[in-house]
Every structure is written in structure tokens, then in C-alpha cells.
Amino acid sequence: MNTSSQNRKQRLVIAGGGTAGWMAAAAFSRILGKEVDVTLIESSDIGTVGVGEATIPTLVFFHKLLKISEQEFMAATNATFKLGINFENWKSLDHAYLHAFGVTGKDCWAAGFQHFWLRGLKEGIASDFGDYCLERQAAEANKFAHLPNNGLNYAFHIDASKYASFLREHAEKDGLKRIDATIGSVNLNEENGFIESLTLDNGETVHGDFFIDCTGFRGLLIEKALHTGYEDWSHWLPCDSAVAVQTKSVSEPIPYTRCIAHEAGWQWRIPLQHRVGNGMVYCSNYLSDDEVITKLLGNVEGEPLNDPRVIHFRTGRRRKQWNRNCLALGLASGFLEPLESTSIHLIQQGIVRFLRMFPTAGIVEEDVNEFNRQADFDIEHIRDFIILHYHVTQRTDTPFWRHCRQMDVPDSLKHRIDLFQKTGRVFREGSELFDDSWQQVMIGQGLMPTSYHPIVDTMSLQELKGLLNGVTQQIDRTVGKLPPHNDYITRYCS
Ligand SMILES: Cc1cc2nc3c(=O)[nH]c(=O)nc-3n(C[C@H](O)[C@H](O)[C@H](O)COP(=O)(O)OP(=O)(O)OC[C@H]3O[C@@H](n4cnc5c(N)ncnc54)[C@H](O)[C@@H]3O)c2cc1C
């Protein structure tokens, strides 16, 4: 970092107190608190985005890193467990599949389980692909328990504003200084263009060595001050708006998110212990805000607890997540729509990556380039995975779905789709987030390979039956012993 005095502690300034700001604050104060002064500035006059309540399993590890008790976290955020996402009406109307967090079946060294399943299907001895996944079966049976050795992969549904308060408590205990004020200007060093300080509306000026921009879509530091630039991906992900509303629960929470496609986008239902988060994501070329508000209020199940909120967004990413002495996290760094609940994961990835490359002895250009290269890799793979859901569909009933089927997709995604269709093969690239998920979603969306690996034909029909039935029997036995999801929550963390 650019520390002028060798003796004083380095100063890390976080601008913004939404989920990104408080996750960063909790992590940096816990892990760097003894070495670095951490300050967070948030403005009670400018709210947070107020959504972002479905997560993926990596959050479990973030909490372990911070030594956060899962029971305390779940009780404080009224959280429920999440085993996957149920995609309804995506492949075609009245069809559903559950993208579960677990692994489907058993692979062998040469071929993934889908090859064995494809032959089973041809021979008439295999059932639905999801029948071979424990998490999917537990989700559908509405059951949950922690199993030894991460036997059941899970994430959470959380109350976003309660999560920020919960993390704030942790961060303040670890010595974080919080300032409630609005940042009026970002002051740059005239020679090198680095950020030197932030001037607040209370007259105070906050100096720092490094700044974390968590100011949401505004990107006050990374964009308004540093003009980093934005790469627009809306030609691949055409939804640009959302309406969100919270409702009272009318039934026990289920352990999965519902994601229901509609004529020009989709609707989410996120069950918490005390309420349900609802929203519609849509493309404004086909539906107006007012039409969506009426549709959403017309089909939510419980009584609304707040007025519907409209959020407009532009899908894409900041050209550099780390620019000079500023790192953007959360919405300030870019936005992929929430179809696979990946934004909080990307915040966490940014935090952990920054901790690994922490610029103790001044900012090294190679570190910055490497950081941005890894961040680009992460987001591009997730982007492809989300586009897959829209592009591979049999729906032709509305102009929106016809557009999605016909649109160009990135070459990287086209390659994956073609490879799977012709050979049934899926390869995980490097450390990309999704693995088994590719098969689950491609098959779920109706993409069926035209061939399978010949190693499968070395098995007799009897052996193949034994393999397939062995998997489902083992799953049935495990699911049979799990308690109902809500009973487990009541005992564990209500
Ligand atoms: C419709 C929708 C649904 C989503 N669903 C999911 C989901 O299910 N799962 C998931 O992982 N993610 C989801 N996300 C993304 C998720 O909401 C965000 O990644 C997450 O909330 C982080 O937001 P943030 O902290 O970056 O920004 P914000 O919540 O917007 O916070 C910005 C902060 O900056 C502060 N600020 C701004 N300007 C100033 C200023 N001038 N001075 C001082 N402070 C300032 C504000 O006060 C606020 O504290 C969703 C997003 C949208 C739009």
C-alpha cells in the first residue's frame, strides 16, 4: 500500500454498508484487524439494494474462515437451508427440474454418471436424472439434516438486512470503525491518480491507503472517480429489471428456492423462517414495471409486508475489479442477474482473493493483473452458466423466449453445448464454480446427448441395473432417515 509513514498502521477504507460492505468489513477486521485500521462509511440517507437472499454452499466456508457460528448466524438472519433451485417452466410450460447442490450418481474414471444414465434410459431401466442425486431427493421430500463429511451439500436463504447487521456486530467487536455519513467527493492524487481520501457531508475527510468500493450500482469510487469502464453483457442476458416484495409465510419453509419462468423472465420465491422473499426479473422490452407489479401482487401467496420495489440493472462487469488502490466488490464490480444466486459468492471470492494478494509492501502491478485475470475467469464461467438456462429451452410461446433461443451466445458456451450434445461429455475448467451443475441444467433444460461413452457398453444390462438401483436405494435409505426441514430448523436455530 502507499503508506507514507513506516510506523503507522495501514488504513483500509470501505465505502458502503450493504451485503458487500459488511462482508468485507467482517472479513478484513477479523483477519487483518491487528495489522490494519479498517473503517466503513455507510449512509443512512442512501439505502441498500435490499435483496440478495439466496446463497450457494460456498458461504458455509466463508463463515468457517471467519469462525462464525452457523447456529447464531441462522438464528440472527431467520435463515433456512437451501439444497438447490427448482426451475419451473424453463424447458417448457408445466415442466420442472431441480438444480441441486450435490453430485448426481457415481462417475467412473472415463465417463461421468450421465453416460451410464443415458444407456439406462435407452434400455428403459433408468428414471429421471435427478432421482440419482441425494440433495434433490431430500429437497423434494422437504427434509434436511447435517450429515457427516458434508454428506448433504447445502446453502442458506437469509434475510439480507439482518445479515448486514449480524456482520456489523462481528466487525465492530473486531475493532472496525463505522461512520454514518454520505460521501460527497472522492479525492485523487494529482500525480498517480490513486484515491487519497473521501470527503463526507459531515465535513470530515477520511484518508486511506486502500479503498474498497461497495457503493452498489453507483460505483462511486471505481467508476465515478476512476472511470474504470463497464463491459455490457445485456445482449446475452436480456433481463434488465426486477420487482421485489416480501410476504408473510403461509406454510412451512421448503429447503429450496423456487424459480418460475414467465413470459419474459422469471419469478423467485425464497422461503425464510418468518417470511417469504418474492420477486420478478424481467426484460423491459417486453413487460412494463406496472404490468410486472400487478402480476407479482396477483400471484404471491401471503399478505405483502412492504410496497413492491422496482430495481433496474445492466448486466455486465467492471473492466477491472481492482484498479489502482481501489477494489470493487458487490454491485459496484458488476452484476449478473440472480438466477443462480451467485452475487454473494462473487463478493466472497473477491474478499478471499484480496486477502491472498494483500498489498502489504505497496501495490504490485502483477498482483493487480493476476487478481483481475482470476476475477474475469470466475465471472465469465458463471455468466455462461446463466445464459445456458435462457438459450437452451424448448419454449417458443412468447417473443422473449424465441429471442433467447435464437440469440448468439459466447463461443465458450457454444463449445460446451455442442460437446455435450454430441458426446455427453462435460469438463470442469480449472477452478470454475460449477461442476455437476452443468449436466443437471443441460439435461433439465432438455439438451439430450446423442451418444454416450463406449465404456458403458462393457457392462451387462444386469450390472447397469445394479449400478443405477444401488444409487437410488442408497439415496432412499438416507432420505428416509432425515427429519423434516422445519423440525430441524426449530431444533437447530429458530
Ligand atoms: C433483483 C436482485 C436480486 C438479487 N438476488 C440475489 C440472490 O438471491 N443472491 C445473491 O447472492 N445475490 C443477489 N443479488 C445481488 C445482491 O443483492 C448484491 O450482490 C448484494 O446485496 C450486495 O450489494 P452491495 O452491498 O454491493 O450494494 P448495496 O446493497 O446497494 O449497498 C450499497 C451501499 O453503499 C452505500 N452508499 C452508496 N452511495 C454512498 C455514498 N455516496 N456515501 C456513503 N455511502 C454510500 C449505501 O448506503 C449502501 O450501504 C440480487 C440483486 C438484485 C438486483
Side-chain angles (χ1 to χ4, degrees), residues 15-22 40-56 82 160 181-184 200 213-218 220 241-244 266 268 270 280-281 311-313 329-347:
T19 303
W22 283 112
L40 181 142
I41 304 158
E42 65 179 333
S43 168
S44 352
D45 294 337
I46 302 172
T48 62
V49 73
V51 281
E53 309 208 311
T55 66
I56 60 170
K82 173 181 170 189
T182 300
I183 301 161
L200 313 183
D213 187 347
C214 299
T215 59
F217 288 127
R218 282 174 187 78
L220 200 63
S241 308
V243 173
W266 58 280
W268 76 77
I270 299 178
M280 274 195 183
V281 173
I311 303 160
H312 294 294
F313 54 82
L329 291 175
L331 301 173
S333 68
F335 183 57
L336 285 176
E337 61 148 280
L339 189 61
E340 284 283 355
S341 327
T342 43
S343 293
I344 292 173
H345 164 79
L346 285 169
I347 296 170

